[in-house]
Structures are given as C-alpha cells and as structure tokens.
Amino acid sequence: MSESKIKKILVANRGEIAIRVMRTAREMGIKTVAIYSDADVHSPHVRYADEAVNVGPAPSNQSYLKMDRIIDICLELNVDAIHPGYGFLSENATFAKKVAEKGIIFIGPSTHAIEVMGDKLAAKNAVKAYNVPMIPGVNHAVTDLAEARKIAEDIGYPVLIKASAGGGGKGMRVVERPEDIQEQMQRAMSEAESAFGDKSVFIEKYIGSPRHIEIQVLGDQHGNLVYLFERECSIQRRHQKVIEEAPSSVLTPELRKAMGEAAIGVAKACDYYGAGTVEFIVDENLDFFFLEMNTRLQVEHPVTEEITGIDLVKEQIRIAEGHPLSFSQEDLKIKGHSIEVRVYAENPKENFLPETGRLETYKIPQGPGIRVDDGFEEGMDIPIYYDPMIAKLVATGENREQARMRMLRAINEYEITGISTTLDFCSFALKHGAFISGDFDTKFVQNHFKPEYLDAHNEEEETIAIALAAYALEEKKKATNRADASGQLSKWKLRAKQ
Ligand code: ADP
Ligand code: ADP
Ligand code: MG
C-alpha cells in the first residue's frame, strides 16, 4: 500500500469539531496542530493537540478567520494538510485556493466545487442538467420589485425569498400575501447585503409542511462517488437543526435510493470529491426537492458514522491523500438507528436566545450506545464570540425506539448547571407523540412546543408525554381509517406508522 502522505494536520477550528478531527488523526498516527484565540486559551482542543498556536484576539475575524496567519503557521510547523471543520473557513474558496498555492493539502473538495455550491443560485444552475428535482421558483437573482411580484404570482403564495449567499439558517423571508412582497424584498436584499456582502436574492415556493432530509456523500479524486444514506433533520428552530437522526422513519428503500442517486447527480455536477451533504426538502406527498449542497463535514455527521460504521474524518483524510474509496455502494448497509441532540447554551423558554455564562456543573452521560462530542469542561465559560453549541449527544440502538429511550436516559444523566441549555427541550421533543410516531415536520417547535411545558414537574411531564403519545397513536389510527376511506391523508403520516 502507498504510504500516507499526511504526517501532520492543522485543524483550523475550535471546540468539539477540532477534537473530533484530532481523534481520528491520532488513530491514524498523524500529528496534530491546534489554533486558538485569546478566548480559548484553556480549551480542551488546545491541550488535546500535539502543538498549539495562538492566532489572535477573541473575535473570529481576528483569529479563526485569519487565512494568511493560519497558512504561515502551517509553513513554520511543517504541516502537510489543513482540516477546516465546519463554519469558519470551511466553505471559503479563497482560503482553499491559498492553501493549495502554498503546497498544503486542503482536506475538502476542490475550489471549484466550493465556489459552485457556496452560491445557491450557481448550485441550482449547475445541477439542472442532472435530473435533480428542484423547488418551483427562479434560478436567477431578482432585484426588480415588479419582477418579484410577477414571479411570486406565477409560483403562488406563500413564497420564500432567499439570499443566494445565505447559510446557517440566515437570509430567508416567508411572504404570505401579495401586499407584503415589496417590503419583504427590500428587507431581504438589505439583510443579505449586510450579512453576506452580496444582495442577490431569489424566490421559490414555500413548502408548507416540509421535512428536511439530507444525504451524505463521499467521493474520491478518481471519480468514484457513493451515498451513505440519509439524515432526518426536521426538528429545527430558526431554520437550524437541533435534533437529527438516521435513518429517517419516512423513507422507503425506493425513495432512499432515488434520493441517494439524486445526491450523486448533484455531486457530479461539480466534480465533487471529499465528504459532502446534499440537502433536500421532502413534502407531504413524499416528493423531494434539492435545497443546497454543503461542501464540508456536517455538524450532525456522527449519526451517519454510527449507522454505517464508517469514520467520515478518516475517509476525508484518505481521499485528500489521493486514495481511491475502499468500498462501493453495495458494501454500504444501514445498521441500527442513531439520534443526535445538539446541546446549545440557549434558553428554550426565551425563544432559544443564546446565553453566555459558566458551566458550574458539567457531567456527561456514559454507558452503552452513548457518544458525546464536546469541547468544554466543568468551570469553563461559554464565550459570546462563537456558535453557542456546547456538545453533541448521540445515542445509538438496534432500532429507533431503543435509541430514543437511550437518549432520554442519557439526557437524564447529563448534568449542566450555571447556564440554560437545549437539553430540556430535547427531552420534551423526544417524549412527544409526534416525534414518537415520526409524524413531524420542520414546524415541530411552532406546532407543538410552548415554553411553559418545560416548567411542568418531571413526573407531571412524563404523564403528559405518555398521554400525548397515546393520543397521537389514537389519532393516527383514526386518521389511517379515514385515509383508507378517503385516501386523503399525507403519505408520510401513513408510512411513518409502518
Ligand atoms: P449543518 O448543516 O452542518 O448543521 P449549520 O447550518 O448548523 O450546518 O451550520 C454549521 C455551522 O456553520 C454553524 O456554526 C453556523 O453558524 C455556521 N455557518 C454555516 N453556514 C454559514 C455561513 N454561510 N456563514 C456563516 N456561518 C455559517
Ligand atoms: P441554509 O443555507 O441556511 O442552511 P437552506 O436552504 O439549507 O439554507 O434552508 C434551511 C432551512 O430552511 C431548511 O432546513 C428548511 O427548514 C427551511 N427551508 C428552506 N427552503 C424552504 C422552502 N422552499 N420551503 C420551506 N422551508 C424551506
Ligand atoms: Mg442548509
């Protein structure tokens, strides 16, 4: 076998994802370099690495986003490759280009793929030739109000105005009525300009009851591409995920294959290599539509690792070294079920407002089927400068119900004081009848959650949950009967029962 070219990796990130990447590097016998800002001097990722370098003051534009400084460190320390994690510079084509120009390996796709998929409009246009279902809408930037009005009328309200350069759930506006289109267009454009430095927006149909289901892909530099099945990411707040699971309870083997093949089409459209995620919206008829492609490792990648047994970071590194994939589509199988909850420093009672403060108590759960990817320790402060995610808690079992019960057990063991987190909300969601039955969409929070539910005493909460579950099941039976008679019930609601 050819010898590994990569002997030292710099991880251009912080927190849980920096440690996640370094763990695999260490298993592969690769040395690691951490970078950190003044706010992260005491962070576990700094201690975990073989070497660590301070890159500047706390604000990310003075530290984690300093491209030239990061590249200089690589040259000084003889680093062979950079892993960008997610967020920060991970989807920055300029950075990828600069890294390559200095002879350093960027662990990720080509600059071309990042450029095409980083822009939602460019992405839509690139995949056109690949027979990928698209959300009804336009594929060009719209600035003219009269044109916007005409497009919205053609598509039919409600419509969604989206920033082409958008990301992280930002830059989206729903327009319900014609009289609001003018104002919302103006707002969307100025928001896009200030958030992303690009005021291009486009308009698409707003899907009323969507599920967000995404496909993990892996490709090597020799043209081989495979899909590692789906992740169900419909439990969201602010258009951002909080609970993810794999597999999804609504995909049939046929639909899984069709979505997997569509995802491969998207990847082919930009000659993709590395690990990537193709996001889709699935509507009530189980029709699916391309949303966007994320050209990096995703936050929720662990659930895919758990059900496929594949270390995605190891594959990323091997692909970056030029190795062909060591498995084919036929080798890949789904085993069991895995659920991830994101533990954010946020207050679910205050509309999920991010919080800062100290982790007075911090004790993680353990035991069978539990994985915690985190980047903090007891006594540490959660800085205001970065994403407020503290940890990812992953529970895996033989089937969905075992994974769900395991997750509830683990949430119960997790001890965090000094700061509000999303754990209570996640526990509520996992006990909810809609989650149990699999009958939910991206509006779970709006439709099923009220802050006062979290105040209920634990026992009381459980009684409510059990009652809700029984109620949901009863409703489902009735609905199934109704649907059998009228054929009107949404298909996923029926399939979710099977
Ligand atoms: P995932 O699909 O992997 O869950 P998220 O949308 O949750 O991705 O984003 C992952 C991280 O990257 C978050 O910290 C988010 O704030 C950040 N992020 C994603 N896209 C952008 C962007 N275009 N600009 C700034 N930050 C982004
Ligand atoms: P981002 O780059 O911010 O991740 P996405 O295009 O992936 O943007 O959309 C993020 C979320 O917004 C989706 O998971 C979904 O909940 C919602 N969303 C996006 N497009 C639509 C649409 N056309 N109809 C309904 N919901 C949508
Ligand atoms: Mg997205």
Side-chain angles (χ1 to χ4, degrees), residues 174-208:
V174 184
V175 190
E176 307 273 356
R177 313 170 305 168
E179 48 270 46
D180 297 334
I181 186 102
Q182 181 161 345
E183 190 192 336
Q184 297 293 7
M185 272 294 288
Q186 272 157 349
R187 283 204 192 171
M189 284 192 291
S190 71
E191 268 174 21
E193 171 101 72
S194 59
F196 311 108
D198 173 0
K199 71 171 183 336
S200 306
V201 299
F202 60 96
I203 303 173
E204 62 186 30
K205 177 84 191 153
Y206 181 68
I207 312 284

Side-chain angles (χ1 to χ4, degrees), residues 198-477:
D198 173 0
K199 71 171 183 336
S200 306
V201 299
F202 60 96
I203 303 173
E204 62 186 30
K205 177 84 191 153
Y206 181 68
I207 312 284
S209 178
R211 294 177 84 110
H212 173 120
I213 300 181
E214 60 189 30
I215 306 285
Q216 175 72 51
V217 298
L218 271 182
D220 62 24
Q221 298 190 45
H222 310 278
N224 303 305
L225 276 162
V226 296
Y227 60 89
L228 286 83
F229 316 110
E230 77 278 9
R231 289 184 290 259
E232 162 73 66
C233 310
S234 299
I235 310 275
Q236 308 182 339
R237 44 100 188 77
R238 286 196 289 278
H239 299 300
Q240 253 210 321
K241 308 151 188 170
V242 249
I243 303 181
E244 301 102 339
E245 61 180 314
S248 162
S249 36
V250 292
L251 293 203
T252 57
E254 295 74 35
L255 187 53
R256 178 168 295 124
K257 185 160 183 280
M259 289 180 73
E261 283 168 3
I264 300 268
V266 173
K268 279 193 179 145
C270 61
D271 299 320
Y272 202 82
Y273 58 78
T277 297
V278 182
E279 300 189 329
F280 294 99
I281 282 260
V282 179
D283 72 11
E284 283 178 298
N285 302 316
L286 289 182
D287 286 325
F288 65 91
F289 307 97
F290 172 63
L291 258 188
E292 64 161 348
M293 179 168 194
N294 292 326
T295 56
R296 54 171 163 89
L297 192 66
Q298 205 95 345
V299 174
E300 57 277 17
H301 76 277
V303 294
T304 300
E305 297 188 321
E306 296 298 321
I307 62 150
T308 58
I310 286 177
D311 178 338
L312 287 168
V313 174
K314 181 177 165 201
E315 297 307 322
Q316 285 188 300
I317 295 171
R318 288 184 52 83
I319 291 163
E321 286 176 332
H323 294 286
L325 288 178
S326 59
F327 45 82
S328 64
Q329 192 64 54
E330 292 69 46
D331 299 325
L332 294 166
K333 298 271 171 323
I334 297 177
K335 186 169 181 293
H337 196 100
S338 190
I339 304 176
E340 169 182 287
V341 306
R342 297 193 191 186
V343 187
Y344 280 102
E346 287 181 357
N347 189 347
K349 290 184 202 163
E350 297 290 339
N351 203 14
F352 295 89
L353 192 73
E355 265 196 13
T356 54
R358 179 159 299 174
L359 291 169
E360 301 290 354
T361 319
Y362 184 75
K363 298 211 168 39
I364 62 170
Q366 294 179 346
I370 295 304
R371 164 174 172 179
V372 181
D373 282 20
D374 64 1
F376 290 95
E377 282 164 3
E378 195 163 272
M380 285 182 65
D381 291 321
I382 308 294
I384 50 166
Y385 303 97
Y386 319 109
D387 191 84
M389 198 174 75
I390 302 168
K392 302 183 312 205
L393 170 59
V394 182
T396 306
E398 279 170 34
N399 52 45
R400 189 170 188 263
E401 186 54 13
Q402 189 184 33
R404 190 184 73 87
M405 291 303 286
R406 216 163 233 176
M407 181 62 90
L408 287 170
R409 182 268 290 173
I411 291 177
N412 209 262
E413 277 177 34
Y414 221 136
E415 276 182 60
I416 303 181
T417 63
I419 202 159
S420 311
T421 76
T422 41
L423 276 175
D424 282 357
F425 165 76
C426 291
S427 177
F428 162 84
L430 286 155
K431 288 176 190 165
H432 197 282
F435 186 88
I436 295 171
S437 66
D439 183 3
F440 56 86
D441 59 27
T442 59
K443 293 189 176 144
F444 179 89
V445 171
Q446 292 98 302
N447 291 344
H448 300 300
F449 177 64
K450 285 205 181 71
E452 48 272 30
Y453 294 161
L454 299 185
D455 293 327
H457 188 266
N458 263 349
E459 273 166 44
E460 219 175 292
E461 197 185 309
E462 253 151 49
T463 318
I464 296 169
I466 292 163
L468 279 173
Y471 171 78
L473 215 66
E474 205 42 51
E475 283 298 292
K476 197 157 276 294
K477 274 188 203 146

Side-chain angles (χ1 to χ4, degrees), residues 19-239:
I19 298 177
R20 161 72 195 90
V21 171
M22 290 183 211
R23 283 191 163 126
T24 288
R26 186 160 289 173
E27 287 176 17
M28 295 173 79
I30 297 170
K31 294 278 180 218
T32 56
V33 179
I35 58 169
Y36 61 96
S37 72
D38 292 347
D40 286 338
V41 175
H42 302 293
S43 289
H45 84 271
V46 178
R47 264 178 289 127
Y48 195 94
D50 296 306
E51 293 169 88
V53 183
N54 184 310
V55 275
S60 34
N61 59 5
Q62 295 172 49
S63 51
Y64 295 104
L65 295 174
K66 282 284 211 192
M67 305 189 208
D68 294 330
R69 168 100 175 99
I70 294 168
I71 292 170
D72 284 345
I73 294 167
C74 291
L75 298 174
E76 275 162 39
L77 299 180
N78 281 319
V79 165
D80 305 304
I82 295 184
H83 195 301
Y86 55 73
F88 296 125
L89 296 170
S90 62
E91 292 173 286
N92 187 312
T94 308
F95 181 62
K97 200 179 281 173
K98 280 181 181 241
V99 169
E101 276 165 11
K102 295 290 180 186
I104 303 163
I105 297 173
F106 180 77
I107 303 177
S110 69
T111 312
H112 167 72
I114 300 174
E115 262 164 10
V116 173
M117 294 299 161
D119 181 291
K120 292 190 204 299
L121 279 172
K124 277 179 184 249
N125 284 308
V127 307
K128 252 193 225 157
Y130 287 81
N131 199 22
V132 178
M134 309 292 270
I135 300 175
V138 290
N139 289 357
H140 62 267
V142 182
T143 45
D144 183 66
L145 290 176
E147 191 194 355
R149 195 181 296 278
K150 168 89 174 52
I151 293 166
E153 244 130 62
D154 288 349
I155 300 171
Y157 287 90
V159 296
L160 187 63
I161 307 174
K162 264 191 191 178
S164 189
K170 298 179 196 88
M172 276 181 275
R173 288 195 162 261
V174 184
V175 190
E176 307 273 356
R177 313 170 305 168
E179 48 270 46
D180 297 334
I181 186 102
Q182 181 161 345
E183 190 192 336
Q184 297 293 7
M185 272 294 288
Q186 272 157 349
R187 283 204 192 171
M189 284 192 291
S190 71
E191 268 174 21
E193 171 101 72
S194 59
F196 311 108
D198 173 0
K199 71 171 183 336
S200 306
V201 299
F202 60 96
I203 303 173
E204 62 186 30
K205 177 84 191 153
Y206 181 68
I207 312 284
S209 178
R211 294 177 84 110
H212 173 120
I213 300 181
E214 60 189 30
I215 306 285
Q216 175 72 51
V217 298
L218 271 182
D220 62 24
Q221 298 190 45
H222 310 278
N224 303 305
L225 276 162
V226 296
Y227 60 89
L228 286 83
F229 316 110
E230 77 278 9
R231 289 184 290 259
E232 162 73 66
C233 310
S234 299
I235 310 275
Q236 308 182 339
R237 44 100 188 77
R238 286 196 289 278
H239 299 300

